[in-house]
Amino acid sequence: MLEEALSAPDVVANQLAHDQNAYAELGEALRTQPPTSLLTVARGSSDHAAHYMAYLMMARMGTLVTSLPMSLITLYQSKIKSDGLVSLAFSQSGQSPDLVAPTKFFRAGGARTVAFVNAPGSPLAEAAQFVFSLHAGPENSVAATKSYIAQLVAGARVVAAWGQDEDLQAALQQLPSALREAAAQRWDVAVDVLKNADKLFVIGRGTSLAIAQEAALKFKETCGIQAEAFSGAEVKHGPMALVDQGYPMLVFAPRGPAQAGLLALAEEMRGRGARVLLAAPAGTPGAELPLSCTGNEDLDPIAAIQSFYPMVEALARARGRNPDQPPHLAKVTKTN
């Protein structure tokens, strides 16, 4: 897991060196024939990556994006109208039937279907009309790291191409360097604080919520910690009742419109007695976990998860667990 996580900057550089024309053509197609609706098709870490892309699309392009409950197609046999639809599927293996079946259904109904997958010859790749390889190479770790980061980058590339955003495109080209810096950040204090934890909240908002969701999943699968991800706004409703003295919270507060509210939340939770681990750019008051900045604040969450992965791998080992062999899990999960 650690080796693959640390290889992510090179994976991103490799991906960025490929498929420039294909992304540009997809962007042009989205401009010349705007979709009447967009939806994402994904599970697990891939769904978190899809959520990040969807947020960027909604924020930058002003187009709503829906996350598809796949059982609508696979179990309930819903006849969703596909005219003008664009579906975007995210997967590492491309083998799960509940990703393949909706992609086939939508394509047969006239939708444009796109797949971002690390296995170009997989059933999902064969089902989709447009296929983008993650170029992450074989991923042997059960816990996805480099492929997740590659999916985040692929989603940002779609948004940059669609919006013809030269600033975002330039920042993407600089991203491997920023990720190398992020991978070297030291988050040792989080290992010390969470070594004996059995629960925690992971908080983000806006573009960082997808990162919080991914971090919570990794705490579960590699460390055996019951971690829950919440928006910085949502956590102030019912979940707040659980926060008592010493309750651990990891707050991702990268740059952007949501940062001020997240910093205020971290301070409020400290006042309630929570043990807050604040991940924010160096120099931010109260930040114990330094975040690297990229060439565009919307890419900062990618650097944040790059810094998180080595820490959570070390935390798993500090808790006496093997992050390379999580119990009850397999690399490829097939659901219907």
Side-chain angles (χ1 to χ4, degrees):
M1 176 182 175
L2 180 61
E3 180 181 344
E4 290 177 350
L6 294 178
S7 74
D10 291 336
V11 165
V12 170
N14 184 43
Q15 187 200 119
L16 292 169
H18 289 83
D19 306 321
Q20 294 96 330
N21 291 339
Y23 279 96
E25 289 168 3
L26 177 60
E28 182 179 4
L30 292 171
R31 289 191 303 275
T32 58
Q33 190 180 351
T36 57
S37 56
L38 292 112
L39 56 79
T40 60
V41 184
R43 287 209 186 279
S45 290
S46 297
D47 190 42
H48 305 152
H51 184 100
Y52 170 77
M53 181 199 67
Y55 200 94
L56 285 183
M57 284 182 171
M58 290 187 282
R60 287 171 167 265
M61 307 309 301
T63 303
L64 291 175
V65 184
T66 302
S67 175
L68 175 74
M70 278 82 85
S71 60
L72 285 175
I73 304 297
T74 61
L75 300 182
Y76 289 83
Q77 307 297 309
S78 175
K79 304 304 180 184
I80 295 175
K81 296 178 181 178
S82 301
D83 292 344
L85 170 70
V86 173
S87 75
L88 304 117
F90 286 75
S91 177
Q92 290 134 31
S93 70
Q95 295 188 43
S96 187
D98 59 356
L99 274 71
V100 177
T103 300
K104 287 182 175 179
F105 172 84
F106 292 131
R107 186 174 182 181
R112 287 173 284 177
T113 55
V114 186
F116 304 92
V117 63
N118 203 35
S122 63
L124 178 61
E126 293 174 357
Q129 181 181 5
F130 304 100
V131 181
F132 293 87
S133 172
L134 301 179
H135 297 288
E139 188 171 58
N140 297 313
S141 171
V142 172
T145 55
K146 64 177 183 175
S147 62
Y148 174 72
I149 290 176
Q151 287 176 326
L152 294 175
V153 173
R157 291 180 77 182
V158 172
V159 176
W162 187 0
Q164 294 182 298
D165 189 321
E166 294 182 0
D167 177 73
L168 185 57
Q169 290 172 338
L172 280 164
Q173 293 304 314
Q174 300 164 7
L175 189 57
S177 175
L179 293 181
R180 292 186 183 98
E181 177 187 305
Q185 297 283 14
R186 299 305 300 263
W187 284 21
D188 300 4
V189 63
V191 176
D192 295 337
V193 169
L194 300 174
K195 185 166 58 176
N196 297 312
D198 61 355
K199 59 189 177 185
L200 82 152
F201 286 165
V202 188
I203 310 300
R205 196 173 185 190
T207 54
S208 69
L209 179 57
I211 305 307
Q213 292 169 329
E214 169 65 6
L217 177 60
K218 288 298 185 286
F219 278 127
K220 293 183 184 81
E221 65 182 349
T222 66
C223 300
I225 300 175
Q226 180 60 51
E228 291 189 79
F230 289 103
S231 157
E234 188 64 32
V235 75
K236 300 186 74 171
H237 293 272
M240 186 72 78
L242 295 175
V243 179
D244 53 15
Q245 190 67 33
Y247 197 101
M249 301 179 72
L250 169 57
V251 178
F252 285 101
R255 299 177 301 167
Q259 186 187 56
L262 291 165
L263 295 178
L265 175 69
E267 187 64 23
E268 180 183 348
M269 293 301 97
R270 286 195 182 100
R272 291 174 177 264
R275 179 58 177 98
V276 177
L277 289 162
L278 176 61
T284 304
E288 295 177 273
L289 310 177
L291 292 182
S292 296
C293 295
T294 68
N296 186 293
E297 65 184 27
D298 281 343
L299 301 181
D300 284 5
I302 305 179
I305 201 67
Q306 176 71 80
S307 296
F308 170 83
Y309 281 145
M311 181 280 291
V312 79
E313 196 271 352
L315 176 61
R317 296 191 183 280
R319 291 169 63 86
R321 301 173 72 95
N322 182 353
D324 297 330
Q325 294 181 333
H328 317 303
L329 298 177
K331 183 60 182 173
V332 177
T333 303
K334 297 182 179 181
T335 48
N336 292 300

